[in-house]
Amino acid sequence: MATAAQTATDSTLMLESVRAAHERIADAIVRTPTLKSITLSEMTGADVWLKFDNLQFTASFKERGALNAMLMLDEDVRERGVIAASAGNHSQGVAYHGARLGIPVTIVMPQHTPTVKVQQTESHGATVVLHGERFDDAQAHAYELAAERELTFVHPFDDPDIAAGQGTAALEMLEDVPEIDTLIVPIGGGGLISGMGVAAKGIKPGLELVGVEAELYPSTYSKLKGLNLPCEGDTLAEGIAVKEPGKFTLEVIRKIVDEIVLVSERDLERAVSLLLQIEKTVVEGAGAAGLAAMLGHPERFRGRKIGLILCGGNIDTRLLANVLLRDLARDGRLARLRIRLKDRPGALYHVAKVFDEQQANIIEIYHQRIFTSLPAKGLITDIECETRGRNHLQRLIEALEEAGFGVTPVELA
């Protein structure tokens, strides 16, 4: 079995290889814009520029590296085909550009991969093989199939040619905004930050390179610090939820990354919501990690000229809806109030009257008579409502209490 790196003519990652990759792929990818966010700059106290790589055809930076690696394959290797293991953005990039180049593509995914992801990959002409419970099982099977069928394995990150392709995003950013002095880049397996870092520091040696990982998956942070931190849990940033970074990429990261910061799920949710509200752009959790780092570590980046890459926009619509609603709740614009009242005619009318007086909109009402610790004549009503924010919500609660009702806001975790 061969990998894309082993079949390439040059397996060294340096500024020249990133520039060569950009020349190679430029006519087949979107040269996404790098734009200043005035509002985010004011919020964070830094100059913030956003690289909208969620506007690639597959909505992810991953196709940069996949295309570069496949373009470097010999003709006979292309004819036999390539194989990859991925249930996410890498599979889309390999499948889409493989179809464009006439390269047969096989993608191995875990058995329980959502149907929509399977269908999206198949729509690009790839053959999808479902195998195993976890990604590790799928990847092991992909290596087996590669050996059996003489296919070339296209690694999602641990490959100099993949990293060189990903690094082309940094070339574009610094060409558009040369004054950027700090890049904040998400870290999963390490391909993106390796390529972008080598390119950026090659162009501007004094530039600061900061990596970002989710608190639940601090794999590279842990390796560099000599720690043994757990990597598990449901993170919004599943695109960077990697338990083991690449061997090649880890060594590059060790040499060029100035610092790695960890971000909470709350900051990831807030970042996704802000990018949709302020920039009107849909970004997945991993793609919003750079902004989450600025929200979680404001003093660290204040006063800097920051470049953030919005590296992906593939987020499930139902999950996005949950994130937005939770953010409204944290801002006090959406609330659930648990109200204690007596079970008698007109009680709910008097509650609703207070809402009307305070101009708060009632969305849902839930009555609870049975499963409560109140006396038999007691009643709990949960009311979901919309307000104009925290101050308006507090005035509503005070008005309800003045009217004789016991009120408990239901808080989010």
XYZ file of all heavy atoms in Angstrom, residues 228-278:
394
model
N -0.978 13.688 30.327
C -1.801 12.560 29.867
C -3.267 12.901 30.097
O -3.981 12.227 30.833
C -1.412 11.280 30.598
C -2.098 10.055 30.015
O -2.434 10.028 28.826
N -2.324 9.043 30.840
N -3.714 13.970 29.459
C -5.084 14.452 29.653
C -6.069 13.591 28.866
O -5.756 13.131 27.767
C -5.200 15.904 29.197
C -4.301 16.910 29.915
C -4.437 18.295 29.287
C -4.642 16.966 31.401
N -7.267 13.369 29.418
C -8.265 12.575 28.692
C -8.761 13.299 27.451
O -8.848 14.525 27.425
C -9.396 12.403 29.716
C -9.235 13.561 30.652
C -7.766 13.829 30.726
N -9.062 12.542 26.410
C -9.648 13.075 25.180
C -10.948 12.319 24.932
O -10.954 11.236 24.332
C -8.695 12.902 23.994
S -7.232 13.938 24.056
N -12.039 12.874 25.386
C -13.329 12.199 25.242
C -14.460 13.179 25.504
O -14.261 14.229 26.098
C -13.424 11.009 26.204
C -13.231 11.402 27.665
C -13.149 10.205 28.586
O -13.010 9.086 28.084
O -13.222 10.401 29.809
N -15.639 12.805 25.031
C -16.829 13.614 25.269
C -17.409 14.139 23.968
O -16.792 14.061 22.906
N -18.616 14.671 24.060
C -19.312 15.226 22.904
C -18.983 16.706 22.784
O -19.456 17.528 23.565
C -20.828 15.040 23.051
C -21.247 13.591 22.909
O -20.582 12.867 22.150
O -22.229 13.189 23.563
N -18.169 17.035 21.812
C -17.802 18.427 21.590
C -18.480 18.965 20.348
O -18.687 18.238 19.370
C -16.277 18.600 21.459
O -15.977 19.970 21.145
C -15.693 17.705 20.371
N -18.814 20.245 20.391
C -19.373 20.907 19.219
C -18.347 20.931 18.090
O -18.707 20.915 16.920
C -19.792 22.332 19.594
C -20.431 23.191 18.501
C -21.744 22.574 18.028
C -20.657 24.607 19.001
N -17.066 20.927 18.456
C -15.991 20.986 17.470
C -15.525 19.587 17.092
O -14.357 19.242 17.249
C -14.830 21.813 18.018
N -16.442 18.773 16.555
C -16.080 17.379 16.248
C -15.023 17.293 15.158
O -14.291 16.307 15.055
C -17.318 16.556 15.863
C -17.866 16.783 14.467
C -18.738 18.019 14.360
O -19.026 18.632 15.403
O -19.120 18.367 13.229
N -14.897 18.338 14.349
C -13.885 18.340 13.291
C -12.459 18.366 13.812
O -11.529 18.022 13.083
N -12.258 18.784 15.067
C -10.926 18.762 15.671
C -10.887 17.847 16.895
O -9.974 17.939 17.716
C -10.437 20.182 16.034
C -11.441 20.907 16.931
C -10.164 20.976 14.774
C -10.924 22.249 17.464
N -11.862 16.958 17.000
C -11.910 16.014 18.120
C -11.041 14.798 17.789
O -11.531 13.715 17.498
C -13.352 15.600 18.409
N -9.720 15.017 17.821
C -8.757 13.980 17.448
C -8.006 13.531 18.699
O -7.456 14.356 19.427
C -7.769 14.522 16.390
C -6.684 13.502 16.084
C -8.524 14.894 15.116
N -7.990 12.227 18.932
C -7.327 11.701 20.129
C -5.814 11.617 19.977
O -5.091 11.636 20.972
C -7.895 10.318 20.469
C -9.343 10.343 20.922
C -9.804 8.970 21.402
C -11.223 9.036 21.938
N -11.685 7.740 22.469
N -5.342 11.511 18.753
C -3.912 11.340 18.513
C -3.499 12.181 17.308
O -3.933 11.922 16.186
C -3.588 9.870 18.244
C -2.111 9.536 18.222
C -1.448 9.602 19.587
O -2.132 9.372 20.610
O -0.237 9.890 19.627
N -2.663 13.224 17.517
C -2.218 14.023 16.367
C -1.289 13.205 15.476
O -0.784 12.150 15.874
C -1.467 15.187 17.027
C -1.010 14.641 18.351
C -2.079 13.676 18.782
N -1.046 13.690 14.272
C -0.142 13.002 13.366
C 1.299 13.054 13.855
O 1.705 13.993 14.535
N 2.086 12.061 13.508
C 3.497 12.044 13.908
C 4.271 13.143 13.195
O 5.058 13.871 13.810
C 4.101 10.669 13.604
C 3.526 9.548 14.465
C 4.155 8.204 14.108
C 3.547 7.093 14.958
N 4.122 5.764 14.612
N 4.058 13.241 11.886
C 4.735 14.279 11.117
C 4.282 15.668 11.566
O 5.102 16.558 11.833
C 4.448 14.083 9.619
C 4.745 15.286 8.779
C 6.050 15.634 8.480
C 3.713 16.083 8.296
C 6.326 16.761 7.721
C 3.983 17.200 7.530
C 5.291 17.542 7.240
N 2.978 15.858 11.676
C 2.466 17.187 12.017
C 2.863 17.595 13.432
O 3.114 18.774 13.694
C 0.933 17.240 11.873
O 0.342 16.180 12.632
C 0.525 17.089 10.416
N 2.932 16.645 14.348
C 3.305 16.976 15.727
C 4.710 17.569 15.777
O 4.971 18.519 16.521
C 3.223 15.739 16.618
C 3.544 15.971 18.101
C 2.554 16.950 18.725
C 3.542 14.651 18.874
N 5.619 17.014 14.994
C 6.986 17.535 14.990
C 7.030 18.932 14.378
O 7.796 19.790 14.840
C 7.912 16.578 14.231
C 8.131 15.264 14.962
C 8.492 15.470 16.437
O 9.451 16.221 16.721
O 7.794 14.896 17.304
N 6.229 19.184 13.360
C 6.166 20.537 12.792
C 5.597 21.505 13.821
O 6.134 22.598 14.037
C 5.309 20.551 11.510
C 5.173 21.989 10.974
C 5.910 19.650 10.444
N 4.519 21.099 14.474
C 3.883 21.941 15.490
C 4.862 22.255 16.614
O 4.946 23.390 17.097
C 2.615 21.250 16.036
C 1.523 21.246 14.969
C 2.114 21.938 17.307
C 0.337 20.361 15.309
N 5.614 21.256 17.023
C 6.575 21.437 18.113
C 7.588 22.545 17.774
O 8.036 23.284 18.640
C 7.312 20.121 18.358
C 7.983 20.016 19.718
C 8.779 18.732 19.820
N 7.953 17.539 19.700
C 7.277 16.975 20.695
N 7.322 17.532 21.901
N 6.557 15.886 20.508
N 7.922 22.664 16.501
C 8.938 23.636 16.073
C 8.384 25.038 15.854
O 9.080 26.030 16.090
C 9.592 23.150 14.776
C 10.414 21.882 14.924
C 10.901 21.396 13.558
C 11.633 20.063 13.673
N 12.008 19.526 12.336
N 7.138 25.135 15.378
C 6.696 26.456 14.897
C 5.562 27.100 15.693
O 5.358 28.309 15.590
C 6.269 26.385 13.416
C 5.025 25.504 13.249
C 7.411 25.908 12.534
C 4.431 25.557 11.844
N 4.820 26.336 16.480
C 3.669 26.911 17.185
C 4.128 27.569 18.483
O 4.854 26.977 19.272
C 2.599 25.838 17.467
C 1.484 26.400 18.347
C 2.017 25.325 16.154
N 3.697 28.801 18.696
C 4.118 29.549 19.874
C 3.337 29.159 21.123
O 3.884 29.181 22.229
C 3.960 31.052 19.614
C 4.875 31.538 18.500
O 6.102 31.560 18.707
O 4.363 31.875 17.419
N 2.072 28.833 20.952
C 1.247 28.476 22.110
C 0.002 27.747 21.629
O -0.464 27.965 20.508
C 0.840 29.735 22.882
C 0.054 29.453 24.159
C -0.381 30.701 24.898
O -0.099 31.814 24.415
O -1.029 30.577 25.955
N -0.523 26.878 22.492
C -1.819 26.241 22.240
C -2.751 26.614 23.383
O -2.388 26.488 24.559
C -1.700 24.709 22.135
C -0.814 24.324 20.947
C -3.081 24.065 21.986
C -0.565 22.837 20.821
N -3.945 27.088 23.044
C -4.949 27.406 24.059
C -6.124 26.452 23.912
O -6.388 25.931 22.826
C -5.424 28.872 23.954
C -4.279 29.829 24.200
C -6.063 29.149 22.601
N -6.800 26.218 25.019
C -7.964 25.336 25.037
C -9.232 26.176 25.172
O -9.233 27.209 25.845
C -7.864 24.343 26.196
C -6.603 23.481 26.231
C -6.630 22.541 27.435
C -6.430 22.696 24.950
N -10.319 25.713 24.543
C -11.565 26.469 24.575
C -12.708 25.591 25.088
O -12.753 24.386 24.842
C -11.936 27.036 23.183
C -10.926 28.097 22.783
C -12.006 25.957 22.128
N -13.623 26.225 25.795
C -14.767 25.521 26.381
C -15.874 25.342 25.353
O -15.915 26.027 24.323
C -15.304 26.312 27.571
O -15.896 27.527 27.121
N -16.787 24.440 25.665
C -17.952 24.240 24.796
C -18.817 25.494 24.754
O -19.377 25.847 23.716
C -18.775 23.046 25.286
C -18.074 21.710 25.149
C -17.645 21.422 23.718
O -18.511 21.407 22.826
O -16.430 21.246 23.490
N -18.895 26.181 25.874
C -19.703 27.404 25.922
C -19.150 28.459 24.963
O -19.903 29.130 24.243
C -19.736 27.941 27.342
C -20.620 29.170 27.502
C -20.880 29.469 28.961
N -21.807 30.576 29.115
C -22.560 30.777 30.178
N -22.517 29.904 31.162
N -23.352 31.811 30.270
N -17.819 28.614 24.933
C -17.220 29.599 24.034
C -17.341 29.170 22.573
O -17.492 30.017 21.682
C -15.757 29.839 24.402
C -15.604 30.687 25.659
O -16.496 31.518 25.914
O -14.613 30.525 26.385
N -17.293 27.876 22.313
C -17.497 27.392 20.951
C -18.919 27.699 20.484
O -19.124 28.168 19.348
C -17.240 25.885 20.878
C -15.774 25.450 20.935
C -15.676 23.940 21.194
C -15.048 25.800 19.635
N -19.894 27.454 21.345
C -21.283 27.754 20.998
C -21.463 29.247 20.743
O -22.114 29.668 19.775
C -22.220 27.306 22.126
C -22.337 25.794 22.273
C -23.309 25.392 23.371
O -24.232 26.195 23.657
O -23.152 24.301 23.938
N -20.878 30.051 21.611
C -21.000 31.509 21.468
C -20.370 31.980 20.171
O -20.922 32.853 19.472
C -20.308 32.182 22.660
C -20.363 33.702 22.660
C -21.762 34.197 22.872
N -21.798 35.648 23.060
C -22.829 36.410 22.765
N -23.923 35.868 22.266
N -22.790 37.703 22.986
N -19.231 31.394 19.808
C -18.536 31.800 18.587
C -19.354 31.461 17.344
O -19.459 32.271 16.411
C -17.161 31.134 18.526
N -19.933 30.260 17.303
C -20.773 29.868 16.169
C -21.949 30.830 16.030
O -22.277 31.294 14.928
C -21.280 28.418 16.342
C -22.375 28.098 15.328
C -20.132 27.428 16.188
N -22.565 31.160 17.155
C -23.724 32.052 17.142
C -23.344 33.464 16.700
O -24.041 34.082 15.884
C -24.353 32.090 18.539
O -25.478 32.938 18.559
N -22.226 33.985 17.203
C -21.802 35.339 16.838
C -21.477 35.449 15.355
O -21.817 36.452 14.705
C -20.574 35.739 17.660
C -20.817 36.130 19.121
C -19.495 36.360 19.827
C -21.699 37.373 19.219
N -20.831 34.425 14.813
C -20.475 34.482 13.395
C -21.717 34.482 12.507
O -21.746 35.137 11.464
C -19.552 33.310 13.044
C -18.131 33.459 13.587
C -17.383 32.134 13.530
C -17.373 34.532 12.810
N -22.747 33.769 12.931
C -23.989 33.787 12.162
C -24.706 35.132 12.318
O -25.164 35.727 11.343
C -24.900 32.644 12.602
C -26.194 32.505 11.800
C -25.907 32.304 10.319
C -27.037 31.357 12.320
N -24.762 35.632 13.541
C -25.486 36.882 13.780
C -24.762 38.096 13.209
O -25.395 38.978 12.605
C -25.676 37.085 15.288
C -26.600 36.076 15.945
C -26.714 36.314 17.446
O -27.177 37.358 17.887
N -26.254 35.365 18.242
N -23.444 38.131 13.372
C -22.687 39.328 12.993
C -22.234 39.268 11.541
O -22.407 40.225 10.779
C -21.472 39.501 13.930
C -21.960 39.814 15.351
C -20.541 40.600 13.415
C -20.863 39.787 16.393
